[in-house]
Amino acid sequence: MTALTVVLCILGLTSMATASSRPHIVLILADDLAWGDVSYHKDESGAEIETPNIDALAEAGVKLENYYVQPTCTPTRSQLMTGRYQIHTGMMHGVIQPPQPLCLPLDEKLLPEYLQDYDYATHIVGKWHLGLYKPACRPTNRGFETHYGILNGAGEYYSHENSYYVVAEDETLTGKDFRYTNESNTDNDRIQEDNDGVYATELYVDRAKDIIGQYSDGAAATLPPLFLYMAFQTPHKPIEVPDEFVDIYDGSSMTGTRKRYAGMVSSLDNGVDEIVTALKDAGIYDDSVIIFSTDNGGAGKPSSNWPLRGAKHSLWEGGIRAVGFVTSPNHIPRCNVGTINTDLIHVSDWLPTIIEGVLGEGIDPPTDPTKTLDGYNMWDYFTKCKVARTIRSEILYNIDPYYLAGRIKDSDYDVGDELKEPADFSTDIHAALRMGDMKIYTGERGNMDREPPQEYVGVAADPDTLDSALEVLLFNITADPYELTDLSGSMTDTVDEMVERLSELWTSSKRAKAIFPQEELEADPERVGGDGYWGPWRNDDESLM
């Protein structure tokens, strides 16, 4: 062996040791899981749904009780992957629909791409929902080595079909949506026949266990560290679940779809347990950082965000306050295990928290000043026993001038599918902002109901006296988390200050133009290759407009 070979071997070993010393990262995202429907919130929610495995995992780490996401699927995922507010990526309106020529802009660097810079193996299992209209949009072209799951936002759990009605054309498009894809985008890029009739959550968990199993029997010492993005579809509609999970609630007072929804939550809880067990069996649990989050609040009945106001699609607390926690035996000290963190934390914080905090690496400032991150590194909150609580003082929940009961206003389409945007912010625009304890809510607001779960016992609430006709509402969320008392009339200076801040954010050079193009019948799964699967229908060299 030559001296050069020896040096190269040493360098190779050193590189592998550095890579293998980094913690594994498991990011679990639940879909439409309501704040009140985990059992560690039941003293407040009155729900009877049991989530013992999620509870145990949360109790082994730090629970986040002032943690926020976005009110729908795509916006939360866009901020999770980029660390940037949706008004800075153009994703501020709605979710990506199956036949829209739209995806998270391709000039955004995503979390798995950062992690690949540090030699992580990157896998996504489950729901993508960040665009599919051309190959470049798909997860395996955006930093993930493999994807096993669905590209769209929903689908049948057993048949794996997804249908979408194109209103303008009065036509329904239907196709399969369940794939295994590797970086080549060709290998086994179709659902296997024996998946038909098998519950999607079961398939996702089995795939996750296969990935984790590769690290068993000491293999972790020679393999790159793992990043597993476990994007569950559960408990998003349709309400479908194996009877074994529904039967858990035979002794409860829940009936009908509420009981079946409870079964879906239990199937999620069981899946979390199987993943944790797989990590332990592989010997990598202790050196894993496990992050759990919901993508938005529950979508209304049969789920329950009680006692929070509102639901999915709204910027009320029930739409955006999330179930979240962080667990890591080797990285969270005993002084923080089992604690509740009430610091202001947002889904955009996970990217810098993982890269700067977990990995201890810097994030270089972008050459384009409009591409700076909006998230903050929160790692010290979880790993230090005493830390100054001053990292984040505000959260922009959203500014969306096109919001109308969760749907686009057709009159706002312009030539070339471009949306008309007001130059200046005004309080008739759908928006919400948190500054310290205070939250301002302007414009149309969506579902503002406060409804307890079916099984709730006792007096639900005093009559709701909130005046929903007011253009501006102001709440002290720390003192009034259920948004019962509007303070806009008595705290006019605070209203003025927060409206001014919304105006600054709207007119900032960082703001991107909203992207929400018209749907295209060319996306019809029967027309794309004739194979009946949802997938790209444009080429990579075709622009959005």
Side-chain angles (χ1 to χ4, degrees):
M1 182 179 289
T2 66
L4 177 60
T5 304
V6 171
V7 170
L8 290 174
C9 288
I10 291 171
L11 289 175
L13 289 171
T14 302
S15 174
M16 184 58 69
T18 301
S20 64
S21 66
R22 296 190 187 277
H24 307 286
I25 301 166
V26 180
L27 176 53
I28 301 173
L29 192 67
D31 198 356
D32 284 10
L33 177 64
W35 187 89
D37 288 335
V38 291
S39 50
Y40 71 77
H41 284 159
K42 69 180 179 181
D43 287 348
E44 205 168 345
S45 70
E48 292 183 358
I49 296 177
E50 296 296 332
T51 53
N53 301 301
I54 291 173
D55 291 9
L57 195 59
E59 191 61 29
V62 180
K63 297 175 189 173
L64 312 179
E65 292 299 323
N66 204 5
Y67 168 55
Y68 290 89
V69 293
Q70 297 309 119
T72 50
C73 311
T74 297
T76 287
R77 285 165 171 76
S78 73
Q79 298 195 50
L80 177 65
M81 289 290 111
T82 65
R84 286 162 40 77
Y85 288 150
Q86 63 220 48
I87 70 163
H88 297 152
T89 62
M91 308 299 289
M92 63 275 253
H93 180 79
V95 300
I96 297 175
Q97 303 295 356
Q100 276 187 300
L102 173 62
C103 69
L104 183 61
L106 296 174
D107 61 351
E108 297 290 340
K109 185 172 182 177
L110 306 193
L111 175 59
E113 295 176 292
Y114 282 96
L115 288 167
Q116 284 189 330
D117 290 343
Y118 299 105
D119 302 318
Y120 269 78
T122 56
H123 302 275
I124 171 175
V125 177
K127 171 176 165 177
W128 174 235
H129 208 188
L130 288 174
L132 62 99
Y133 81 101
K134 57 184 183 179
C137 298
R138 291 169 55 172
T140 46
N141 284 322
R142 308 215 62 180
F144 287 104
E145 296 174 25
T146 68
H147 174 220
Y148 182 85
I150 65 174
L151 291 167
N152 286 305
E156 304 288 332
Y157 283 84
Y158 289 101
S159 71
H160 313 302
E161 285 188 349
N162 183 27
S163 296
Y164 184 80
Y165 177 59
V166 182
V167 176
E169 303 291 342
D170 190 26
E171 186 170 339
T172 298
L173 311 183
T174 300
K176 294 277 190 182
D177 187 12
F178 201 117
R179 300 166 178 264
Y180 168 79
T181 313
N182 67 7
E183 283 182 308
S184 72
N185 279 324
T186 58
D187 185 26
N188 296 322
D189 189 22
R190 290 292 181 267
I191 188 172
Q192 304 300 306
E193 288 186 5
D194 57 1
N195 283 359
D196 284 336
V198 183
Y199 194 56
T201 305
E202 178 183 339
L203 292 168
Y204 296 152
V205 171
D206 285 347
R207 170 61 180 163
K209 288 160 65 176
D210 287 344
I211 293 169
I212 295 167
Q214 298 171 17
Y215 288 76
S216 298
D217 302 322
T222 59
L223 290 174
L226 171 65
F227 173 56
L228 174 60
Y229 174 34
M230 189 70 194
F232 279 101
Q233 187 181 340
T234 320
H236 193 292
K237 293 179 179 177
I239 306 298
E240 297 179 334
V241 64
D243 287 341
E244 64 184 278
F245 295 109
V246 182
D247 294 344
I248 293 171
Y249 299 99
D250 280 350
S252 79
S253 60
M254 290 182 284
T255 60
T257 55
R258 174 65 177 172
K259 184 177 178 182
R260 296 201 69 79
Y261 166 83
M264 293 184 77
V265 176
S266 286
S267 76
L268 168 68
D269 185 68
N270 179 75
V272 170
D273 181 53
E274 290 196 46
I275 291 168
V276 170
T277 299
L279 292 169
K280 290 178 178 178
D281 289 346
I284 61 173
Y285 171 76
D286 285 351
D287 200 32
S288 293
V289 175
I290 303 172
I291 299 167
F292 183 97
S293 175
T294 51
D295 66 340
N296 45 250
K301 291 180 179 179
S303 65
S304 175
N305 300 299
W306 176 265
L308 304 179
R309 183 187 293 280
K312 179 180 179 178
H313 298 293
S314 81
L315 294 173
W316 298 107
E317 294 292 287
I320 56 177
R321 184 174 284 210
V323 177
F325 57 83
V326 183
T327 297
S328 183
N330 283 356
H331 299 277
I332 294 179
R334 289 185 180 180
C335 59
N336 282 343
V337 170
T339 61
I340 292 174
N341 182 288
T342 57
D343 297 292
L344 206 56
I345 298 175
H346 186 246
V347 66
S348 63
D349 297 329
W350 291 123
L351 189 152
T353 296
I354 290 171
I355 302 303
E356 297 178 336
V358 178
L359 273 62
E361 300 289 348
I363 297 177
D364 294 333
T367 54
D368 182 348
T370 68
K371 295 290 187 182
T372 54
L373 298 186
D374 297 302
Y376 293 84
N377 173 14
M378 300 294 182
W379 192 233
D380 282 355
Y381 279 180
F382 318 133
T383 59
K384 294 190 174 170
C385 299
K386 294 181 180 179
V387 62
R389 307 296 189 183
T390 57
I391 296 178
R392 179 183 277 282
S393 60
E394 76 170 30
I395 295 175
L396 173 64
Y397 296 122
N398 200 16
I399 305 174
D400 179 7
Y402 312 110
Y403 181 91
L404 181 63
R407 297 294 296 172
I408 195 77
K409 292 181 279 189
D410 292 336
S411 62
D412 283 322
Y413 277 109
D414 201 344
V415 177
D417 289 339
E418 292 190 12
L419 297 168
K420 300 173 183 176
E421 292 187 353
D424 299 316
F425 179 80
S426 61
T427 54
D428 62 347
I429 291 176
H430 173 76
L433 172 71
R434 177 81 176 265
M435 291 176 63
D437 296 328
M438 308 306 295
K439 174 183 175 181
I440 193 170
Y441 202 167
T442 67
E444 182 158 341
R445 301 184 183 94
N447 181 356
M448 62 179 289
D449 294 340
R450 293 184 66 239
E451 294 187 84
Q454 179 190 66
E455 64 273 23
Y456 188 84
V457 176
V459 178
D462 295 329
D464 197 338
T465 58
L466 191 64
D467 185 356
S468 61
L470 292 173
E471 194 167 87
V472 175
L473 295 173
L474 182 71
F475 303 97
N476 183 324
I477 295 298
T478 303
D480 179 22
Y482 310 150
E483 297 170 299
L484 301 175
T485 305
D486 170 45
L487 303 173
S488 61
S490 60
M491 299 183 67
T492 55
D493 288 347
T494 300
V495 168
D496 291 345
E497 177 188 2
M498 297 183 77
V499 169
E500 177 62 26
R501 179 59 179 149
L502 284 167
S503 180
E504 290 172 0
L505 290 162
W506 182 247
T507 57
S508 164
S509 62
K510 285 183 66 174
R511 181 176 65 81
K513 185 173 179 60
I515 318 167
F516 203 79
Q518 293 278 28
E519 296 134 348
E520 297 181 339
L521 292 183
E522 291 81 0
D524 186 351
E526 292 300 329
R527 303 177 194 182
V528 180
D531 58 11
Y533 282 80
W534 287 101
W537 65 94
R538 287 199 190 186
N539 297 321
D540 280 338
D541 59 358
E542 294 182 76
S543 63
L544 178 61
M545 297 301 181

